[in-house]
Amino acid sequence: MLAVNLVDLIKREQERFLTQHPRSAMAWKEGRQHFLYGGPSHWMRRWAGGFPIYVDRARGAHIRDIDGHDYVDFCLGDTGGMCGHAPEFVTEAALRQLTRGTTTMLPTEDSIWVGEELSRRFGSRYWTLTTSATDANRGAIRIARMVTGRPKVLVFSGCYHGGIEEAHIEIRDGQIGMRNQIHPNAVDHAAVSRIVEFNDIAALEAELSHGDVACVLAEPLMTNFGMIPVAPGFHDALRDITRRTGTVLILDETHTLSCGPGGYTQLHGLEPDILVAGKAIAGGIPAGIFGLSREIAERMWELVPFANPRQRQSAHLGIGGTLAGNALTVATMRAVLENVLTPQNYEGMIANATRLADQARRLITVHGLPWHVTQIGARAEVMFMPQPPRNGADVIAARNGDLETLLHAFYMNEGILVTPFHTMLLMCPATTAEDVERHTLVLERFILLLRRSGLA
């Protein structure tokens, strides 16, 4: 009976969404005639209304669609828009660089400033710029294999690190297999991957004891399968075990950059061998970064010395591309680091995330709901389970996909956007207390909807 009621409510909200968004519906119908999955990116189909809204303009923490509706945007391009939409400093830097050339495969003076600032924030490292966090992770993995001579990458079940083949597996019902709808792509995952549950120190130790793992690729805490907090002592054990087994530790800060100017790594004094970030680092211009510790850099220089300019030779190392580190990206990255993702702006972002999380917890308590809220820096998530999950298995066991779908559709109908893949909310510098209050009112309406329907 519960599933039927939820399905009926979802249908009702999707019908309301269709009625309110006729122009977006028509645009989606047209898009399906031209794009493989309706939009320029197949991810654009993943909205609970049945089709995505089509955006007319976006500024700050708000989006206006082609049907004239305004939304408070807590999705922010699934973190790519963490600087806010059209931030003035980024727009000015981009326009200025557009008039001076976007890509020459040559460095600009801005790159010197950017390199120094990245090391100031994240610790002294040797950086490479890419066009995405996926490319940054791919480059970091390749380097780890080069310096260790080992084939495998260890990841945590439920992780997300972009289009990295090694990370497309998960543990489900005790079995290792491909994540939902991902084709193996002719990759022998048994030969290139190992996988354990997050926070499981014993399993981590056992898998690294084989001596065939080049690197552990991990987020400082898991964010993309539902937010999974770090158990006490886990990071100390992770660093100790990887050092003892000669395994390179790669931390992917693409989402946890929301913790502060130096991400979770700086905030908690972590010491990864390679640090990765992307998405927000250039204000929405496609970009990623990875930085090597001096030890890893020196091992690379032994394998691949600086090129002799008198010799014509390939220099790509299987990493990057012709647009990586282009002048436009570097200019906007400087604008972000210098003027947007500043300590002062982080204070406001984190304060708003705290306000949102506290208000959501109050509603959950008042209505006696078996839900919880996790906050990390400027990011918060409502999850429909009593306690925070310890690992991916907990999420799989407790996740209520229909209830998530209903919430997402209801939120869009009420003018709130959250990450479409789960219920994660992110603040940007332009997010206001009024935006947070609007979310609280909508969440309360959602709870009352459930109570009227006998579902809460």
Side-chain angles (χ1 to χ4, degrees):
M1 187 65 177
L2 178 63
V4 172
N5 285 338
L6 278 175
V7 169
D8 288 345
L9 287 177
I10 292 169
K11 182 179 179 181
R12 189 177 77 182
E13 289 301 322
Q14 288 179 334
E15 289 172 349
R16 181 159 71 116
F17 185 78
L18 177 60
T19 300
Q20 292 179 355
H21 299 84
R23 292 188 64 190
S24 284
M26 185 61 67
W28 181 243
K29 182 178 179 180
E30 179 68 15
R32 293 185 66 176
Q33 305 304 310
H34 309 290
F35 295 105
L36 180 62
Y37 285 103
S41 164
H42 72 88
W43 288 7
M44 295 175 182
R45 78 190 197 281
R46 295 290 305 276
W47 291 89
F51 56 89
I53 64 168
Y54 277 69
V55 176
D56 175 50
R57 65 179 71 98
R59 188 167 187 85
H62 287 251
I63 285 177
R64 180 170 291 272
D65 70 19
I66 62 175
D67 287 289
H69 303 295
D70 181 79
Y71 304 83
V72 180
D73 187 9
F74 293 105
C75 173
L76 295 170
D78 194 19
T79 301
M82 190 172 75
C83 294
H85 301 298
E88 181 180 356
F89 288 108
V90 174
T91 301
E92 289 178 353
L95 290 173
R96 185 167 57 249
Q97 191 60 50
L98 282 168
T99 67
R100 303 169 67 183
T102 58
T103 183
T104 61
M105 211 166 65
L106 292 167
T108 60
E109 288 187 314
D110 279 341
S111 67
I112 302 301
W113 189 95
V114 166
E116 291 176 349
E117 177 63 12
L118 290 174
S119 287
R120 188 187 70 80
R121 289 183 177 225
F122 299 108
S124 181
R125 296 181 179 276
Y126 295 87
W127 298 95
T128 295
L129 273 57
T130 66
T131 54
S132 69
T134 290
D135 282 343
N137 280 319
R138 188 176 289 118
I141 289 170
R142 182 177 288 270
I143 286 174
R145 285 179 168 140
M146 290 173 70
V147 301
T148 64
R150 299 174 178 177
K152 294 189 177 183
V153 177
L154 185 142
V155 295
F156 295 99
S157 187
C159 70
Y160 179 74
H161 299 287
I164 300 302
E165 295 288 354
E166 294 86 348
H168 285 164
I169 57 175
E170 69 177 3
I171 303 171
R172 189 176 285 267
D173 298 325
Q175 301 297 313
I176 298 174
M178 301 301 297
R179 294 196 67 178
N180 186 37
Q181 296 184 329
I182 298 179
H183 188 274
N185 199 28
V187 174
D188 181 1
H189 285 83
V192 299
S193 301
R194 288 189 180 277
I195 186 166
V196 298
E197 294 287 2
F198 194 59
N199 287 320
D200 190 336
I201 296 171
L204 176 68
E205 180 100 52
E207 291 300 308
L208 294 188
S209 69
H210 296 282
D212 59 358
V213 175
C215 60
V216 172
L217 174 60
E219 290 186 283
L221 65 87
M222 292 183 68
T223 65
N224 223 55
F225 200 58
M227 289 173 66
I228 303 175
V230 180
F234 180 72
H235 272 299
D236 289 340
L238 174 62
R239 182 66 279 192
D240 174 62
I241 297 167
T242 51
R243 282 186 171 139
R244 282 194 285 105
T245 58
T247 308
V248 175
L249 176 59
I250 305 170
L251 292 184
D252 182 351
E253 287 264 18
T254 298
H255 276 176
T256 53
L257 189 60
S258 62
C259 292
Y264 193 101
T265 292
Q266 187 276 332
L267 188 64
H268 293 277
L270 306 184
E271 298 178 348
D273 297 305
I274 304 178
L275 183 141
V276 168
K279 291 190 178 182
I281 199 73
I285 300 294
I289 60 172
F290 66 93
L292 278 58
S293 68
R294 183 167 189 89
E295 179 190 355
I296 301 298
E298 287 176 344
R299 291 164 71 179
M300 272 298 292
W301 294 330
E302 290 177 6
L303 291 169
V304 186
F306 277 87
N308 183 342
R310 295 190 301 276
Q311 295 177 348
R312 181 169 175 79
Q313 59 181 308
S314 172
H316 63 68
L317 300 177
I319 294 170
T322 54
L323 295 180
N326 69 75
L328 177 62
T329 297
V330 173
T332 55
M333 194 178 296
R334 175 171 183 170
V336 166
L337 296 172
E338 192 169 16
N339 298 300
V340 183
L341 294 183
T342 61
Q344 181 179 3
N345 279 340
Y346 269 108
E347 286 182 11
M349 293 159 65
I350 293 169
N352 276 321
T354 302
R355 182 178 293 111
L356 185 147
D358 287 345
Q359 292 178 2
R361 290 188 186 106
R362 177 182 58 79
L363 289 174
I364 289 169
T365 299
V366 166
H367 292 280
L369 297 169
W371 304 350
H372 76 272
V373 180
T374 295
Q375 180 199 348
I376 179 71
R379 189 184 303 275
E381 178 162 23
V382 178
M383 295 187 74
F384 301 128
M385 56 185 75
Q387 300 296 327
R390 298 162 300 172
N391 51 41
D394 284 355
V395 177
I396 291 170
R399 173 161 262 166
N400 187 328
D402 284 345
L403 190 54
E404 287 184 11
T405 299
L406 177 61
L407 179 138
H408 287 207
F410 182 86
Y411 267 28
M412 286 193 294
N413 285 330
E414 298 291 324
I416 298 290
L417 293 180
V418 298
T419 305
F421 317 117
H422 47 105
T423 311
M424 194 160 63
L425 300 97
L426 178 63
M427 313 299 129
C428 72
T431 304
T432 65
E434 290 74 22
D435 295 331
V436 171
E437 293 294 337
R438 184 170 170 184
H439 170 265
T440 303
L441 290 173
V442 171
L443 177 58
E444 186 168 32
R445 289 177 202 154
F446 177 72
I447 293 170
L448 293 175
L449 170 67
L450 295 180
R451 291 180 70 89
R452 290 194 303 269
S453 303
L455 299 175

